[in-house]
Amino acid sequence: MAYTGYRYPRYCKIDIEEDGTETLQPGRVMGKGIRAEIKVDTSEAILYADDGPAESVREFSGGSISQETDDLENQVLADLTGAALSEDGELTANDADVPPFLRVGFLSRKVKNNKVSYKGTVYMKVQYGVPDESYETKGQNTTFKTPTIAGRIYRNENGDWKKQKEFPTVAAALAYVDGLVNIKQQEGV
């Protein structure tokens, strides 16, 4: 099996009530996907009895996600980082900003035994930090610089942290992801 693509990163904000109930705000397209790196953290415990391991547990304890897109427009940055966005489009980042919790999804292309399928993946609760920025003067050759934003992956109230499913077509995989991130129409395809 080999993954040969990363497409259509999407997200939606999550409002979490005190009882843990989640309400999804309308979803949005993050940008055009360039790269995603996900690292999962696990905790392990081993119970020793009768001078040997009797039980063991490996559990999800968190994770990190780093996504690179072609652009992070001001509306997207405000949504991801908690920065303020004025009606005229000015983004104001403040040290008191609190990044919201989000659902984040995307598609990947998979090839196995010469057969292509598309996997829809959604992380159920993510919180991003402020993205790093890099700029470079234009010389004889143009160098593209694209934004990368990193965040933490958490489990939601019922313990879910990821959902994924494979489909034979892009459209079916995208409909799956769009449904989980509350996008009613297929935007930006």
Side-chain angles (χ1 to χ4, degrees), residues 45-50 52-57:
I46 300 173
L47 172 67
Y48 290 90
D50 289 340
E55 302 290 338
S56 68
V57 176

Side-chain angles (χ1 to χ4, degrees), residues 71 92 94:
D71 190 19
T92 302
N94 185 283

Side-chain angles (χ1 to χ4, degrees), residues 74 78 83-93:
N74 279 351
L85 185 66
S86 69
E87 286 187 23
D88 69 353
E90 180 182 48
L91 180 83
T92 302

Side-chain angles (χ1 to χ4, degrees), residues 4 13 29 34 37 40 47 52 69 78 86 90 93 100 112 114 118 128 131 134 137 140 146 150 157 172 177 184:
T4 63
K13 289 184 184 180
V29 173
I34 295 174
E37 290 188 33
V40 176
L47 172 67
T69 59
S86 69
E90 180 182 48
K112 184 173 182 177
N114 217 21
Y118 299 90
Y128 288 103
S134 175
T137 192
Q140 285 185 321
T146 55
E157 187 69 21
V177 170
K184 301 298 180 200

